[in-house]
Amino acid sequence: GMCTVLIVVCALVGILVPDLPDFSDPLLVGKHLHCPGSVFRVLPCDRYSRVVFTSTEGENLWNLNAIKSMCSVDNLRIRSHSQFGDLCQRATAASCCPSWTLGNYIAILNNRSSCQKIVERDVSHTLKLLRTCAKYYYNGTLGADCWDMNAKRKDQLKCTNVPRKCTKYNAVYQILHYLVDKDFLSPKTADYVLPALKYSMLFSPTEKGESMMSIYLDNFENWNASDGVTTITGIEFGIKHSLFQDYLLMDTVYPAIAIVIVLLVMCVYTKSMFITLMTMFAIISSLIVSYFLYRVVFNFEFFPFMNLTALIILVGIGADDAFVLCDVWNYTKFDKPHAGTSETVSITLQHAALSMFVTSFTTAAAFYANYVSNITAIRCFGVYAGTAILVNYVLMVTWLPAVVVLHERYLLNIFSCFKKPHQRVFTNKSCWTVLCQMFHKVVFAVSEASRIFFEKVLPCIVIKFRYIWLFWFLALTIGGAYIVCVNPKMKLPSLELSEFQVFRSSHPFERYDAEFKKLFMFERVHHGEELHMPITVIWGVIPEDNGDPLNPKSKGKLQLDNSFNIASPASQVWILRFCQRLRNQTFFYQTDEQDFTSCFIETFKQWMENQDCDEPALYPCCSHWSFPYKQEVFELCIKRAIMELERSTGYHLDSKTPGPRFDLNDTIRAVVLEFQSTYLFTLAYEKMHQFYTEVDSWISNELSSAPEGLSNGWFVSNLEFYDLQDSLSDGTLIAMGLSVAVAFSVMLLTTWNIIISLYAIVSIAGTIFVTVGSLVLLGWELNVLESVTISVAVGLSVDFAVHYGVAYRLAPDADREGKVVFSLSRMGSAIAMAALTTFVAGAMMMPSTVLAYTQLGTFMMLIMCISWAFATFFFQCMCRCLGPQGTCGQIPLPGRLRCAALAPTAWCQGGPGRPAVGPAGPGAELGWHRRRAPRHTGPGQVPVETATRLESLKTRARSKSASHHCLLPEETPSHCLLTSGEVSGKD
């Protein structure tokens, strides 16, 4: 009751008090036009919609059929849409502008009325023209304004060295710059007999944006994108993020299906619809309470979309906790059939709470470790998901036991199919009765098969082939480490945030951003590719982000450096020498053009020297003064110099122009210097890292000798994307390291054995290497979502090793083999079920169009399979070969503290038939008592299949003889698997 009231209160406060989360920009991660006229009067704009064509058969696009095919697709798929007339740019009131496409350009150059009227001779003539003029385009002499549209002739003042035919209508420039890929007629392929055109762009005279949504949904979404001749491989309609928001809602059906599958498995496993529904209610309540803590208590304002993915992970953890609690409850009921409800709950929680805490705490710690990241969305997601897991744990040890008690008292016998064997009474042969009998037989058969597999088959496979398993998984670990660290390695993101991948890589929106923006010259120039990186040095502003680091919308306020002083003579001399020394560096790009803006002090000094002091109006700003100037002269004359330069040279000082910055009182408060470097902009991390480290180290060294007024300068450039890459690279490694440290600490505190803890960490390391290596081979890049999933892999992979390690530590057997058999028999079924449910949940999300869902599904399937395999085969084989025995590797603890840490107090202190911990081994602490279970259960006992499983397990645990375990052929000639009769006969 108290839990329910608390959940309702948190839900109301979380919804009513703070603002609800804004998902209008789901890609916000927080790392801090009009073209009027006809098609040939203006250049194609970036704001226009466009598509990319390629040949369906992989042939050359420069042929008559392909060019006409592109025109036909344009007419059928874009221009024929009912809304096109309302969206298009118009040449006249009655007609829309034609599209920018190869066919239309060929038609206008050859005096044809339309694209469909061109012939083969026109195509050949245009290719010949392009061959002749391409060299002028690539050497920079053929520009976008060589043709005078008003006079309808070549501009006489521009492009004087370019033939007139190359400038006509600016068609050659626009074809090479906008419509064909960069390799067509490039200097490297200009001499080919028939140059290959692989891709061609088509611009539609419609603005990209929300208005194009209907055209895409009606004519492109469910079309195979081909007419048999050409295929549309890339689309840029400006609706990628809007469509993503729509798909987010549409594709939630796949996570919903995954959750339903998990609930069905949980219902079959627990045999209770009530427990299943209440577990799901506890999971949803965990999200609500954690949202209250996140927004109200922690005061986080930014709630990124990726926080919602915590539900999928929480469902898997909640199902695992429910499996553990119900299993321990049944074992407790069997062990103490006449115990009261309070005693049963107490014993169950003493056993289950530790196991649930270990799995929950390690996973939560892995999420919290993401707080070290510099990326706001990752930090917020880590806090929210970690909090949700801890809240879920609290509900699982308070809410869920109450649910189980209610189910035991009032709901256990409602459905006859779920009644215990001795309570099942069939009074007639109705259809319901027959179905119940069949259901019971199926459940019993599955339960028996599961018992035989996990108690006999699996231990035999693990132990008999232990050396093979060790070699195989060590080889996998080494291979994964090579893939992750050496070749091909995890790649850093190659797309800017504005092009953040949200759909599958094969989606035309993603292909345009990832592939085709690099293949067309206008996109390369627009995005700064092959442009020189600027070197910008700033004084007067403190490089400090004083906004909210957990809210990307909080930009903070500009903080000025009060010690800044550029007007002093020492500062003038130093900054002039700084400019001269920088120009002598190898990373400085020297140009022949006159530069008024890079280093304002040089321009100012030249201006002062050219002023004639004979004119009284100029005094004191004239050549009478020698450099450096007095402070009062500098402050007065610098303002006159800027006004004069604006009139005489076109120099204009604004927010984007280097130079001095003034406040409202016309006082210099900051200075900006900017130079071009020899480094070209690229998305490759290694080259940008080399540029940053080389320039920053040189500037830092220079600033160490600067006068006091200029000692706080700093360097910046177009490094936003590099900063994201660097933050992802460092933050992911740090988060993984913290997760491993926490996992080792929790494992050590749980088992109090160093050897078992080290084995578990080795197993986790192998899991991480193989998982991340698999993701690398699948083509993953280390972006925001990938960084979170990889760092969380530690928390998810440690669970199975922890379960096995605790069971091994508390096994009643003294020898390694007995402990391994015991841990596999005791924990194998629950671990496999937990892995299976999470795997199925991941598989159900694979059909989604949204990349976040498919990546999460892929990661869940991989991590479950690999962590289960490593824990079951690799970790257990290490324990079988070199596992600790007796007190080997054990941390010495006082007896009373050991009892409190590892077992219920009553059992540690001893009782009738239950001695304190002693030579019998620590297994007695768990209450897994060595008593024969009757084949047929009585009132208050667990179902017969559970009792049978316990009987076999307890008999096996009691035996100290090696012949009771699965041995290698040279160790025993007997069969590996013992029948239940053979085991019982040895009792």
Side-chain angles (χ1 to χ4, degrees), residues 139-153:
N139 66 20
T141 55
L142 175 61
D145 53 356
C146 291
W147 182 261
D148 189 336
M149 289 293 182
N150 296 322
K152 295 184 179 180
R153 65 183 183 184

Side-chain angles (χ1 to χ4, degrees), residues 242-529:
S242 300
L243 188 67
F244 171 61
Q245 295 182 48
D246 294 340
Y247 276 143
L248 280 179
L249 298 178
M250 295 168 54
D251 284 7
T252 51
V253 64
Y254 297 109
I257 292 174
I259 293 173
V260 169
I261 295 296
V262 172
L263 294 180
L264 288 176
V265 174
M266 189 189 307
C267 185
V268 172
Y269 191 84
T270 61
K271 300 181 181 179
S272 171
M273 179 67 71
F274 179 70
I275 294 178
T276 301
L277 293 178
M278 290 299 101
T279 301
M280 190 63 203
F281 179 79
I283 292 171
I284 296 176
S285 301
S286 302
L287 295 175
I288 295 174
V289 174
S290 60
Y291 179 75
F292 162 78
L293 296 173
Y294 179 90
R295 294 298 302 272
V296 179
V297 179
F298 302 153
N299 198 27
F300 281 35
E301 296 183 8
F302 179 53
F303 191 86
F305 162 77
M306 62 191 306
N307 282 10
L308 299 181
T309 59
L311 173 62
I312 307 299
I313 299 174
L314 209 58
V315 167
I317 295 175
D320 187 19
D321 291 342
F323 295 153
V324 171
L325 187 72
C326 291
D327 270 358
V328 176
W329 178 275
N330 287 334
Y331 280 106
T332 304
K333 292 289 291 184
F334 166 77
D335 192 57
K336 292 191 173 184
H338 303 295
T341 302
S342 60
E343 184 180 359
T344 304
V345 172
S346 176
I347 296 173
T348 300
L349 287 180
Q350 286 174 329
H351 291 171
L354 176 62
S355 179
M356 292 158 61
F357 173 77
V358 169
T359 57
S360 299
F361 186 78
T362 52
T363 307
F367 279 110
Y368 280 128
N370 286 289
Y371 193 79
V372 302
S373 174
N374 292 325
I375 300 174
T376 305
I378 294 179
R379 301 175 74 179
C380 292
F381 174 72
V383 171
Y384 179 76
T387 304
I389 291 172
L390 293 183
V391 172
N392 179 73
Y393 168 74
V394 173
L395 291 179
M396 286 298 166
V397 297
T398 54
W399 169 274
L400 194 57
V403 168
V404 174
V405 171
L406 289 176
H407 176 266
E408 187 78 13
R409 286 184 177 179
Y410 307 110
L411 304 176
L412 187 62
N413 301 320
I414 290 182
F415 301 105
S416 60
C417 281
F418 288 125
K419 289 181 180 180
K420 294 178 180 180
H422 67 281
Q423 295 172 329
R424 190 178 297 107
V425 178
F426 300 112
T427 57
N428 54 61
K429 292 295 183 180
S430 62
C431 292
W432 174 252
T433 302
V434 174
L435 289 176
C436 285
Q437 288 177 333
M438 294 176 60
F439 177 80
H440 173 65
K441 290 179 180 179
V442 171
V443 171
F444 182 79
V446 172
S447 178
E448 280 296 294
S450 172
R451 179 185 65 82
I452 293 173
F453 176 79
F454 287 106
E455 292 183 7
K456 299 179 180 180
V457 178
L458 184 60
C460 178
I461 294 174
V462 171
I463 295 174
K464 186 171 183 178
F465 303 105
R466 56 186 180 273
Y467 297 113
I468 296 177
W469 294 127
L470 283 174
F471 176 79
W472 172 248
F473 282 96
L474 280 174
L476 285 178
T477 301
I478 295 172
Y482 179 83
I483 292 174
V484 173
C485 303
V486 181
N487 186 39
K489 296 198 299 184
M490 174 63 80
K491 293 181 174 61
L492 290 166
S494 58
L495 294 178
E496 299 186 59
L497 285 179
S498 60
E499 305 158 359
F500 193 88
Q501 185 176 355
V502 295
F503 300 121
R504 294 176 179 271
S505 299
S506 58
H507 196 282
F509 289 172
E510 299 299 348
R511 291 201 65 187
Y512 186 89
D513 285 341
E515 300 177 38
F516 302 123
K517 280 192 174 182
K518 303 174 184 178
L519 295 180
F520 291 88
M521 292 303 297
F522 80 97
E523 288 283 17
R524 295 173 66 87
V525 172
H526 176 71
H527 286 268
E529 294 230 19

Side-chain angles (χ1 to χ4, degrees), residues 628-646:
Y629 310 109
K630 293 181 180 181
Q631 182 162 337
E632 57 272 14
V633 173
F634 180 89
E635 292 175 348
L636 173 64
C637 296
I638 187 67
K639 289 177 282 189
R640 291 187 183 179
I642 291 175
M643 291 187 291
E644 178 68 23
L645 288 172
E646 286 184 349

